[in-house]
Amino acid sequence: MSTGDFSGELACSRVGASLAVRLLRCVLLALSLQVVALPWANADAPVQAQLDRIERRGSLQAADSLQELERLQSRLQPGSNEVLQLLLLKGNLLMRLRQDEQVTRVLAELANWPSESNKPQASLVAHLLNARRLAMAGQLNAAKKELAGLAAYTPQSTPLPLLFNAHQLLGRLQSDTGQVEAALTHLHQALKLAEDSGVSWRRALARIDLADAYVQALQFERAEQTVAEALKDVERDPDPMLLYSAHTMRGIIYAELGRTELAAQAKREALQVARQSGARDRIALALANYADFHLKQGNYPEALKHAEESLPLAREEKDLAAQSVALANMGLAKIALKRVAEGKRDVIASTEIELQRGALNGAALGLRELGQYLERADDGAGSIEAYHRHRELIDQVLREETMKAVLETQASYDDERRGKELELLNRDMSLKSEQLLARNLQLKLWAALAGCVLLSGVLMFLAYQRIRKTNESLAQSNAALRKQSERDPLTGLSNRRHFQAAIKRLADQGKLSGTVFLIDIDHFKRINDVHGHAAGDTVLVDIAKRLRAILREEDLVVRWGGEEFLIVVETRDPDYANTLAQRLLDQMAELPVTHGTLHIPITASIGFATFPVAPQGLALSWERAIDLVDTVMYMAKAHGRNKAYGIESIDANDEPTLLALAGRMEAAWHEGRVKLRALSGPSSPALNPELVAEA
């Protein structure tokens, strides 16, 4: 199973991480708990070298490592930085061995740290251990909060290994919860620290993390370059677990770039390295990852075999993320093999684990793919239910991201305003200095009094003019920034932020009045997979142009997310709504989109409704209205795509009844309690985007 792509804008086809990427993060987190076994070094080696060696050796010899750390601690000065690093390693190993009481003792030792000079660093180690414990338990957001104060620690005040581990872990947690830009910042900092250390395995680990984040940001070429550099580091100092992670990441990148043979080879190599290591958790991850690959190739028996082999290992290791991926892949394979009821249960169980971990993106994309597989299995009702749950989670993620973006934009405005105010204050001080000079001259040269007064007046006038121009420039800059923040950078259409401001004129006392259309490009993910994301972007830009050509200037057209577009028109005439829906269907499928030498045929699925809802004239909030339109849009997808379904009336006297009927729209339609208008687009090869002619 693959749960889609990710860009700066979270959306239906570009949200969260693929299951393969989430698997890689699991093993990267395990690697940060230490890496791999090495030959035992001389006990008389420098302390830092011994600590680095133990950190690199990893959990494969956890009991031996703990004994060595105990012997080493007895020789170290209490309260030293070396003991801090030792306790971090010790706590990580104890977590891997599930010795919770011993972990608590390590945390108590840090809480009672004897040295005041590095007590803040002891606090950082405690936060790191707590964050790891929470992450292993699937509480990702709580884990991030443990590292909220990381900015206070600098390379000048904090030992490099501690700082490296902190930036690395926070970057991974942010990447896993969809904060890709923030993740890149911390992972770049981790790479810089690794380079400063001169240790090749640290550089390799940091670069694999970065490649993972680049995949989430859809920068696949950059990811490929970064993982190639990581492989060079691994070759300088061979390490099976790092080699496993590098091959896994190569497989993910090659799959995204459509290089199937290279992807298969990389995943086989990753599984081979994992089996050779004997580490059961790594084997579980590799098997689940290979199952994901077989799903994408349509080899469902092999996908099921690898997922079923992975699941008991993941459960034995109490690895929630690996369990989630194995269950999802197992369920999707069963659905494809006509074991639909069994498969649905497995995928829903996977989704519940993702929600438990706080990974909303993973849960949403799991539901989306469940809907796709159920649609192919002719389970229309199950497909619509899965799509509806997917939409609820996506909206939750998007609302959080929109709020964050608004706050960031406002902070940018505030920073610029403060800068302008400071500039004006400096100019005012300069003006006052000039006035003071004029006053001194007045006392000394009475004969020049008139000239000084005149000069002062001129200076005041010039200062006023400059202040006025500065204020005008600031106002124009703020207006430009505001406009830019409300536009989708790819298509030039309005984005959600603009929609939330504009919808006020169409919603009287919060209740929507007008007609809403929700458009989803059919098989858009397949276009990205087959032809690349550049082709997908061309499709989005072309569709935006077609929408602007059809609609009026006063109509609100929004890129709602990924391949979805939202239209709101003030007209409440049902005939106009039906006519416009048919025009939209026809325009989507009329001409293919040209990308280079390719002609890519396109169709769309559309849901629409006029508000207030007939026949009772029930008024809904814009959020409820869009949910309702979203439901019939997914019905259009489930009934074969290239269709538009519109709500003509709902037999309900109040909003709760209406919402209850909407929750079972298909059944209510057949019962006659909901009347729908079904429209079909023109016949087109767009239902299979792989049928593309060269220009």
Side-chain angles (χ1 to χ4, degrees), residues 629-650:
V629 172
D630 183 70
T631 299
V632 288
M633 186 269 284
Y634 277 119
M635 285 183 66
K637 292 173 74 68
H639 283 269
R641 305 177 190 262
N642 192 25
K643 299 181 185 297
Y645 274 47
I647 297 173
E648 292 189 338
S649 66
I650 298 180

Side-chain angles (χ1 to χ4, degrees), residues 508-537:
D508 181 24
Q509 297 180 343
K511 303 297 184 179
L512 184 64
S513 176
T515 302
V516 178
F517 299 81
L518 193 59
I519 303 171
D520 185 279
I521 302 173
D522 292 332
H523 301 295
F524 183 73
K525 184 178 183 299
R526 196 184 306 167
I527 294 172
N528 276 336
D529 291 344
V530 173
H531 305 299
H533 293 280
D537 288 346

Side-chain angles (χ1 to χ4, degrees), residues 283-415:
I283 297 171
L285 292 169
L287 286 166
N289 196 14
Y290 211 9
D292 173 60
F293 175 76
H294 285 301
L295 273 181
K296 289 176 178 173
Q297 302 307 308
N299 191 348
Y300 304 118
E302 280 296 305
L304 182 59
K305 183 181 80 171
H306 284 90
E308 287 180 334
E309 188 179 351
S310 168
L311 184 59
L313 293 175
R315 283 175 171 162
E316 182 180 326
E317 294 298 313
K318 299 181 181 178
D319 189 329
L320 289 177
Q323 290 177 48
S324 169
V325 179
L327 278 167
N329 289 338
M330 185 187 305
L332 295 176
K334 287 177 180 177
I335 292 171
L337 294 170
K338 307 303 181 184
R339 295 160 60 181
V340 177
E342 258 186 279
K344 283 168 71 172
R345 285 196 298 271
D346 289 340
V347 179
I348 293 300
S350 166
T351 302
E352 293 302 322
I353 291 175
E354 290 299 283
L355 292 174
Q356 178 185 341
R357 298 176 64 235
L360 294 181
N361 296 336
L365 269 294
L367 288 167
R368 177 182 173 84
E369 197 147 16
L370 173 61
Q372 293 170 344
Y373 273 70
L374 290 175
E375 183 182 339
R376 294 175 205 159
D378 297 324
D379 183 356
S383 173
I384 291 171
E385 181 184 359
Y387 281 135
H388 190 65
R389 288 192 61 194
H390 158 262
R391 166 57 57 199
E392 290 175 352
L393 284 178
I394 286 294
D395 283 345
Q396 182 178 343
V397 173
L398 285 165
R399 279 195 291 271
E400 292 173 358
E401 288 297 311
T402 298
M403 183 178 298
K404 178 187 171 188
V406 169
L407 292 174
E408 289 174 349
T409 303
Q410 186 59 51
S412 174
Y413 292 156
D414 291 343
D415 289 342

Side-chain angles (χ1 to χ4, degrees), residues 412-426 470 474:
S412 174
Y413 292 156
D414 291 343
D415 289 342
E416 182 169 347
R417 189 187 69 250
R418 282 192 291 270
K420 295 294 184 182
E421 288 173 350
L422 182 59
E423 183 181 351
L424 291 174
L425 179 60
N426 289 335
T470 299
L474 178 60

